[in-house]
């Protein structure tokens, strides 16, 4: 090591020994600890799972939020893998659920993790939000359980369209400088115990009708991307979830769309 550099670093080390850690670095560490603690409390028992692990902003790299249901939980780690160095990928703190829960969930995360609500909390803007709702809207429920015979859909097509419209208006107003991408709902197979095959296509069509009024919101058609491969990617017959290959391929596609929207 050059003599001047040695003296410089030796001097810093000595000062740290005498006066303690650098105050700026200590403040940053304290803020990071606050954010991590707030995140773990927000996630409750989910923070140990890969998709919900604490992610902090990285200077100079765009910040991306993924909002979605369990399908997005499956592909979130792969989105991070395929956007490494190009985006810092966060996600909503829970399974996003139905469209009626969207704004409530977004506001809860904002008011838990961001300044001025959390002292020393996040102070950045989202560069891109990739969002999806639908799979929980089209399920049939009766007394808290799946029931396609006696149950009622969580949201009718009309209610779903109203909710999508409200979501889009909320996002544009709350995040005017953020790129927005809506992902269509992935397919529902025959024999799914709480959903009817074919409904995903209907709800996607309804969402696209609403999005015609929001040209600034791009569409990532994950339904079209996934459908030809469903038999190879399904985790088991009659289930809406995907095996490791399906999750990775969906994550790769979401990553591709995100990077394209951020850098082109």
């Amino acid at each position: 090591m050059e003599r001047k550099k040695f003296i410089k670093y030796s001097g810093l080390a000595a000062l740290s020994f005498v006066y303690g850690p650098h105050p700026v670095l200590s403040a940053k560490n304290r803020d990071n600890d606050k954010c991590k603690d707030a995140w773990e409390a927000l996630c409750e028992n989910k923070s140990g799972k890969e998709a919900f692990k604490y992610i902090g902003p990285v200077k100079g790299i765009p910040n991306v939020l993924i909002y979605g249901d369990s399908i997005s939980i499956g592909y979130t780690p792969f989105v991070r893998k395929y956007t490494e160095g190009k985006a810092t990928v966060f996600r909503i703190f829970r399974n996003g659920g139905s469209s009626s829960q969207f704004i409530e969930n977004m506001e809860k995360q904002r008011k838990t993790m961001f300044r001025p609500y959390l002292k020393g909390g996040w102070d950045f803007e989202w560069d891109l939000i990739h969002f999806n709702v639908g799979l929980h809207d089209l399920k049939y429920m009766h007394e808290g359980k799946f029931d396609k015979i006696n149950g009622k859909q969580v949201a009718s097509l009309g209610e779903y369209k109203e909710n999508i419209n409200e979501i889009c208006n909320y996002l544009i107003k709350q995040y005017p400088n953020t790129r927005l991408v809506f992902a269509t709902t992935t397919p529902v197979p025959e024999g799914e115990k709480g959903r009817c095959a074919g409904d995903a296509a209907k709800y996607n069509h309804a969402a696209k009708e609403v999005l015609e009024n929001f040209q600034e919101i791009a569409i990532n058609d994950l339904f079209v991307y996934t459908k030809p491969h469903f038999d190879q990617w399904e985790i088991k017959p009659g289930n809406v979830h995907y095996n490791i290959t399906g999750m990775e391929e969906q994550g790769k596609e979401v990553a591709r769309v995100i990077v394209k929207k951020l850098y082109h």
Side-chain angles (χ1 to χ4, degrees):
M1 181 182 291
E2 295 178 10
R3 180 177 175 78
K4 288 183 178 179
K5 289 184 177 179
F6 176 78
I7 293 172
K8 176 183 177 182
Y9 293 126
S10 296
L12 288 173
L15 287 172
S16 295
F17 179 77
V18 174
Y19 297 108
H22 191 284
V24 175
L25 293 178
S26 295
K28 287 183 179 179
N29 289 337
R30 286 196 298 271
D31 288 349
N32 185 64
D33 288 344
K34 286 181 182 178
C35 291
K36 187 174 181 181
D37 289 345
W39 176 256
E40 290 178 352
L42 182 64
C43 289
E44 297 175 339
N45 63 344
K46 297 186 291 295
S47 60
K49 299 179 180 179
E50 183 65 22
F52 294 99
K53 71 177 183 179
Y54 176 72
I55 298 292
V58 178
K59 187 176 181 180
I61 298 181
N63 296 300
V64 173
L65 175 67
I66 292 178
Y67 186 107
D69 51 36
S70 57
I71 307 304
S72 75
I73 293 172
Y75 63 62
T76 290
F78 294 106
V79 178
R80 289 175 178 152
K81 173 182 176 180
Y82 289 105
T83 58
E84 187 174 359
K86 298 177 181 178
T88 303
V89 178
F90 302 72
R91 69 158 289 109
I92 197 67
F93 65 95
R94 52 160 295 185
N95 182 317
S98 65
S99 57
S100 64
Q101 298 172 285
F102 183 95
I103 295 174
E104 177 185 354
N105 288 336
M106 287 289 290
E107 284 296 288
K108 184 173 182 178
Q109 183 156 312
R110 183 173 73 90
K111 292 180 179 180
T112 301
M113 298 304 304
F114 283 87
R115 301 177 189 178
Y117 308 100
L118 176 64
K119 186 177 180 181
W122 294 340
D123 62 349
F124 58 84
E125 290 187 41
W126 296 116
D127 292 284
L128 186 148
I129 297 174
H130 182 279
F131 67 104
N132 162 259
V133 288
L135 202 57
H136 285 265
D137 291 274
L138 54 81
K139 64 187 180 183
Y140 287 83
M141 304 293 293
H142 179 68
E143 296 182 350
K145 297 180 180 180
F146 285 139
D147 189 337
K148 289 192 288 186
I149 297 175
N150 303 306
K152 178 182 177 182
Q153 281 187 303
V154 172
S156 66
L157 277 172
E159 291 168 335
Y160 182 65
K161 291 177 72 172
E162 290 177 2
N163 291 342
I164 292 292
N165 186 71
E166 187 176 2
I167 288 169
C168 292
N169 280 315
Y170 163 81
L171 288 172
I172 289 169
K173 181 180 180 180
Q174 185 65 48
Y175 305 101
N177 301 315
T178 300
R179 296 174 179 86
L180 302 172
V181 180
F182 175 79
T184 56
T185 297
T186 47
V188 173
E190 295 286 349
E192 213 280 344
K193 62 181 181 179
R195 303 172 177 91
C196 294
D199 276 356
K202 295 176 184 177
Y203 277 68
N204 287 333
H205 179 74
K208 288 178 180 178
E209 286 184 335
V210 175
L211 288 166
E212 287 178 1
N213 299 319
F214 299 92
Q215 293 299 309
E216 60 270 69
I217 302 178
I219 296 176
N220 179 10
D221 205 336
L222 277 183
F223 177 90
V224 169
Y225 179 77
T226 300
K227 191 172 176 58
H229 310 284
F230 191 87
D231 289 344
Q232 293 77 43
W233 293 355
E234 66 178 350
I235 195 167
K236 61 181 179 180
N239 194 295
V240 296
H241 299 99
Y242 299 93
N243 58 31
I244 192 70
T245 300
M247 290 188 288
E248 181 163 12
E249 291 301 319
Q250 288 174 335
K252 192 183 298 184
E253 175 65 6
V254 171
R256 183 191 70 79
V257 171
I258 287 171
V259 171
K260 181 178 179 181
K261 292 298 177 183
L262 286 173
Y263 293 98
H264 295 86

